[in-house]
Amino acid sequence: MKAVFAERFKSARLMNGFSLQELADALENKVTRQALHRYEKGEVVPDSEKIGWLSKVMGVTPDYFFRSTKVELGDVEYRKLDKMSSKEAVAIKEKTKEYLSRYLELEEILGLPTEFVNPLTDFHNVTSYEQVNQAAKALREAWDLGLGPIFNIVELLEDKHIKVVKLKVDDDFDGLQTYVNQTIPVVAYNTKKTNKPDRIRFTLLHEVAHLLLHFGKVTEKQKENLCHQFAGAMLLPEETIREELGQHRTKLSPQELGNIKKQYGISMQAIIMRAKDCRIINEHYTKQLFFFFKQMDWRIDEPVDYEGVEQSNRFEQLLFRALAEEQISMSKAAVLNNQPLAEFKKQQLIF
């Protein structure tokens, strides 16, 4: 028990970005730095009163410190700005692990399969736009998506056993992808940075490209560009954009870009890049369009919004299924939902 507590205690501390002294200060020195150090070394497990103080300060339930579900993240690749600190990166990793530990424990209780099959395992190494386009087409076919809009990327990925983690962290972070316990793919995005449905969709599919594709000899910048192109191809297949815009264009109107955005959930600027990649418009006109967007101050807030919903209720659905089938108690359900029992009970309907 000491070892489990020590590991979980350190994870909670890092998740909140505390040093041992900062945690002691947050606790108003009701627990000393030296005592906290002993907890983290596995020498001592605090009493229930102190665990209550720690839980409140670090935003977890007391049960968190004794949860033994195995969560081991593989190499984590972040999509970030250069100014992101190592402390922030560690906090993001620990927050991802905390959510996944609850999710995987719930799936274990229900005896659900978590095996993921990558439809692109045998796809050749990617080094060019043409190969990215083929890979996106192959994935759409494998997942029976046709050529139309995908209405909820988050739900789609969850249905395919790719865990999606929603984080609210510093603006320096866009998204990440990794594997948990070597077999379960995970993608995460930042609600502070990726705060609109079309951006969430694009970010998640960018991370999926990192997860599923095998890249040849390309630079990191080229790889990022290929992942962008994959996301665009998934959201707006070549056959579809040609049907919407035609084979070749010399001009595009904001109105038609806005209508495509509303239908397919892809930003107007990503549509422009997609049109360039498909050689519907040329490089010179692409630059003109982006200059126009900059002049109009549309680079961040475009004049048309995508109204789709990007979320999955799978975790909540599984939670209430386990509760209804009496596989977990009300108190366990509250723990898995990271809520105090009284707060969780207020949300329940009794039949």
Side-chain angles (χ1 to χ4, degrees):
M1 186 175 71
K2 287 182 180 179
V4 171
F5 181 88
E7 181 181 347
R8 303 295 288 171
F9 171 79
K10 183 176 182 179
S11 178
R13 178 177 69 78
L14 294 174
M15 182 168 62
N16 285 275
F18 287 136
S19 66
L20 287 171
Q21 186 58 57
E22 287 168 341
L23 179 54
D25 293 342
L27 289 163
E28 298 177 342
N29 290 306
K30 287 185 285 190
V31 183
T32 65
R33 180 192 178 284
Q34 290 74 18
L36 295 173
H37 178 71
R38 295 187 71 194
Y39 299 166
E40 196 160 299
K41 289 295 182 182
E43 296 174 3
V44 177
V45 175
D47 60 32
S48 58
E49 182 181 33
K50 292 184 177 67
I51 288 174
W53 297 340
L54 293 169
S55 300
K56 186 174 181 180
V57 166
M58 294 195 282
V60 296
T61 61
D63 178 86
Y64 166 88
F65 295 106
F66 303 98
R67 194 181 303 145
S68 58
T69 302
K70 179 184 175 185
V71 177
E72 293 182 2
L73 297 186
D75 293 336
V76 178
E77 290 193 31
Y78 298 92
R79 193 146 67 93
K80 60 182 180 178
L81 301 180
D82 292 338
K83 61 182 179 179
M84 182 178 176
S85 70
S86 58
K87 184 177 179 180
E88 289 172 327
V90 170
I92 288 166
K93 185 175 179 179
E94 294 302 327
K95 287 178 181 179
T96 302
K97 286 173 64 177
E98 191 281 324
Y99 173 72
L100 291 172
S101 71
R102 292 186 284 116
Y103 204 148
L104 296 182
E105 183 177 357
L106 180 56
E107 289 186 325
E108 284 177 14
I109 290 169
L110 289 167
L112 298 178
T114 57
E115 182 182 358
F116 171 72
V117 177
N118 181 359
L120 302 179
T121 296
D122 298 326
F123 199 85
H124 45 71
N125 285 352
V126 170
T127 57
S128 68
Y129 161 73
E130 289 74 19
Q131 291 169 325
V132 158
N133 220 27
Q134 292 170 11
K137 184 176 181 180
L139 188 59
R140 269 188 165 256
E141 289 175 355
W143 285 354
D144 296 320
L145 299 177
L147 296 174
I150 306 172
F151 293 108
N152 190 333
I153 298 293
V154 176
E155 188 172 66
L156 170 68
L157 298 182
E158 290 273 359
D159 286 346
K160 301 299 181 184
H161 301 297
I162 298 175
K163 297 290 182 285
V164 178
V165 181
K166 181 169 65 175
L167 300 170
K168 188 175 183 179
V169 292
D170 288 344
D171 290 348
D172 299 340
F173 162 75
D174 284 340
L176 69 79
Q177 43 78 29
T178 187
Y179 278 85
V180 62
N181 300 343
Q182 299 184 330
T183 59
I184 304 168
V186 178
V187 293
Y189 67 96
N190 184 3
T191 58
K192 279 190 178 180
K193 191 77 180 292
T194 309
N195 57 358
K196 296 182 179 180
D198 56 291
R199 291 182 182 173
I200 293 171
R201 293 159 66 81
F202 196 90
T203 293
L204 290 178
L205 288 172
H206 176 104
E207 302 303 336
V208 166
H210 278 288
L211 276 175
L212 304 189
L213 297 179
H214 305 291
F215 295 94
K217 292 183 179 180
V218 294
T219 65
E220 282 303 310
K221 185 176 180 179
Q222 288 170 328
K223 184 191 290 187
E224 288 299 300
N225 189 48
L226 290 168
C227 289
H228 278 324
Q229 291 175 331
F230 177 86
M234 282 295 293
L235 291 169
L236 199 54
E238 186 164 342
E239 298 94 322
T240 304
I241 191 173
R242 289 191 183 282
E243 186 175 322
E244 295 288 350
L245 295 179
Q247 296 297 318
H248 298 286
R249 296 286 296 273
T250 55
K251 287 189 177 181
L252 298 174
S253 74
Q255 289 81 4
E256 63 182 326
L257 293 175
N259 284 331
I260 294 172
K261 175 178 178 175
K262 287 191 289 185
Q263 184 176 0
Y264 292 92
I266 177 172
S267 72
M268 296 166 72
Q269 292 164 89
I271 297 168
I272 292 169
M273 288 302 298
R274 188 80 185 113
K276 180 187 78 70
D277 290 337
C278 294
R279 297 184 178 85
I280 295 171
I281 59 176
N282 61 32
E283 183 82 32
H284 178 69
Y285 184 55
T286 300
K287 290 179 181 178
Q288 283 185 322
L289 284 172
F290 277 108
F291 181 72
F292 174 71
F293 269 64
K294 185 176 180 180
Q295 282 186 314
M296 298 297 292
D297 200 22
W298 289 352
R299 295 300 299 270
I300 296 175
D301 293 312
E302 295 182 344
V304 176
D305 291 328
Y306 172 64
E307 301 294 342
V309 175
E310 282 300 321
Q311 65 180 26
S312 171
N313 297 318
R314 185 174 183 270
F315 177 86
E316 289 81 4
Q317 183 180 344
L318 295 180
L319 184 71
F320 293 119
R321 171 181 162 183
L323 186 59
E325 294 180 354
E326 299 183 349
Q327 291 182 277
I328 57 173
S329 64
M330 184 74 77
S331 59
K332 181 63 174 178
V335 165
L336 289 172
N337 213 37
N338 198 30
Q339 284 182 294
L341 179 57
E343 182 182 322
F344 182 76
K345 281 182 174 179
K346 288 179 183 178
Q347 302 173 352
Q348 307 314 307
L349 296 174
I350 300 175
F351 294 94

